[in-house]
Amino acid sequence: MKHLEKGVGLRSAPRDFLRDLNVDNLSAGIVAGIFGLSAGIIHISAGTAAGLDSHFIMIWVISYLMINGLFGLFVPAYYRLPLPMANSIPGALLFAAIIPVVGLEAALGATLIAGAIALVAGLAGVMGSVMKLIPMPIVMGMVAGVLLKFGLNMVAPLENALLPAAIMILAFFFSARLLRRVPPLIVAMLAGIAYMAYSGVDFSAVEFSVTFPEFIVPEFTLEAFLAYGLPLALILVGMETPAGVGLVKGMGYKEVPANAITAVGGFATMLSAFFNLHSTCIAAPATGICASPEAGERDKRWVAAVITGAVFMLGAPFYGFVVSLIQAMPGYFIAIIAGLALLRVITSAMHMAFSGKHEMGGLFAFLIAASGLQILGIGASFWALVLGVFVSLIFEARDFEFTAARAVASKPALSKRAG
């Protein structure tokens, strides 16, 4: 436990939450929460494509929101940092694909082992070494590549939904310039809702339903671990934590508890395995929203992450209703809001990736992450880090800390020989 970073604590968290709550972090937290709710569509799409049972898919998504929301209340409150919790999207795609091959119980058994590996990695304090092996410019290049699609999805509606897209985007920028006390995200959301009301969007198909997570006992097989559990552990330790930590540091936070984030995510992933869920980790896109300047003063942005967790938990039992509501909305609405919320994060990530050392590695990480490629069934985000580091080792070896330290250490030896 000595390697886990200490936080502020939970005793005064409720009082501090009320003290720090404001319109900026409230709006950012709601936007991040809505974004997280809409991300469940990815699970539904992946599960449907894999031929999984519709009831299981719904339980899977509800468990994602309930468990991740629960940990998303306590982690940011304990550390007073914008650290919303969610699950691994690359892990979700692997999980959906492996279930028809090895079975649900075996896949969850592999999830349990992957969580244990992440827990041990955090407790052992290895994340400092992992972060040194994966330099920040490469991490931020990967982050910029992942988030690029949100920016592209924000402007894409200008082709087929020019009027509402222009209204929302212009409302954001004009309000940011003219209405300093009103969060521009709120103005953009209100502008979009007003247009939907004016254009007569049909919400008649929205259905109300209530569902809760279900308990299940995992099983253990070597096949499931090698095909899914080991890759998932690598994703949790080598991709999700570095991406989340990189985002928070990119927003000006110097001390981020990488070991604790990994350990808590590992423990929560082990718990998740008993409720049909594949992982729990820091939520990179939601972190970008909660840690961004749109969430207000830096020392109060943690409130946005707590609100995100609350939105997850409140929305979880009613997710069937939420899905039908999201499906009734025009696709441009959430795409534009998410893109606007992440604009400053994208610019910050690109600046950190391409303005100093490891430029070539950062560039390759950006391109690979943006491409969306898959190798051996593992998504682009993971390979962006691996290949970005590989390219940087070849072309920019002097930029790594361990090579620089070795060079400095060798100078006294050379001077002694010369003397």
Side-chain angles (χ1 to χ4, degrees), residues 109-354:
T111 293
L112 185 61
I113 298 175
I117 293 173
L119 174 61
V120 171
L123 292 175
V126 303
M127 293 312 299
S129 300
V130 171
M131 298 297 289
K132 287 181 180 179
L133 290 173
I134 310 175
M136 190 58 62
I138 295 176
V139 172
M140 298 311 289
M142 181 272 288
V143 169
V146 169
L147 298 184
L148 178 64
K149 64 181 179 181
F150 296 105
L152 297 177
N153 291 341
M154 178 193 71
V155 299
L158 290 170
E159 181 178 2
N160 299 316
L162 176 60
L163 182 58
I167 289 174
M168 293 179 67
I169 294 172
L170 290 175
F172 178 86
F173 287 111
F174 277 119
S175 64
R177 182 68 182 272
L178 302 175
L179 305 174
R180 301 280 177 96
R181 294 186 178 182
V182 181
L185 281 175
I186 292 292
V187 177
M189 289 178 67
L190 292 176
I193 292 171
Y195 180 84
M196 285 190 291
Y198 172 77
S199 60
V201 174
D202 182 16
F203 290 100
S204 61
V206 175
E207 297 180 355
F208 184 81
S209 62
V210 179
T211 313
F212 291 95
E214 295 180 1
F215 182 81
I216 187 172
V217 179
E219 297 177 357
F220 302 98
T221 68
L222 180 61
E223 178 189 7
F225 172 71
L226 294 177
Y228 162 68
L230 183 58
L232 178 62
L234 294 174
I235 289 171
L236 294 176
V237 175
M239 188 197 85
E240 299 294 357
T241 296
V245 170
L247 271 170
V248 178
K249 286 188 174 181
M251 291 296 104
Y253 296 88
K254 295 182 179 180
E255 299 295 330
V256 184
N259 289 320
I261 290 171
T262 307
V264 171
F267 172 76
T269 296
M270 296 175 69
L271 176 66
S272 300
F274 292 94
F275 293 94
N276 296 282
L277 178 60
H278 67 283
S279 70
T280 297
C281 58
I282 187 170
T287 299
I289 296 172
C290 294
S292 73
E294 307 301 336
E297 300 172 54
R298 184 177 291 120
D299 61 344
K300 297 180 180 179
R301 294 175 192 170
W302 68 277
V303 172
V306 174
I307 292 172
T308 301
V311 171
F312 280 13
M313 292 199 69
L314 291 174
F318 312 105
Y319 195 70
F321 167 74
V322 173
V323 168
S324 62
L325 183 63
I326 292 173
Q327 290 175 339
M329 289 182 177
Y332 64 76
F333 181 78
I334 292 177
I336 292 174
I337 292 298
L340 290 173
L342 291 168
L343 277 181
R344 293 196 188 184
V345 182
I346 296 172
T347 58
S348 176
M350 287 187 169
H351 174 74
M352 294 185 67
F354 307 130

Side-chain angles (χ1 to χ4, degrees), residues 351-389:
H351 174 74
M352 294 185 67
F354 307 130
S355 62
K357 297 180 178 180
H358 302 284
E359 286 187 0
M360 190 60 67
L363 176 61
F364 265 77
F366 171 77
L367 295 174
I368 293 168
S371 72
L373 62 80
Q374 284 201 3
I375 302 175
L376 302 177
I378 302 176
S381 301
F382 176 80
W383 295 112
L385 294 178
V386 172
L387 298 179
V389 170

Side-chain angles (χ1 to χ4, degrees), residues 49-74:
L52 304 182
D53 178 71
S54 60
H55 175 71
F56 164 75
I57 295 174
M58 189 57 61
I59 292 297
W60 177 27
V61 178
I62 288 169
S63 296
Y64 141 56
L65 294 170
M66 186 70 75
I67 295 174
N68 296 169
L70 178 63
F71 282 90
L73 293 176
F74 292 105

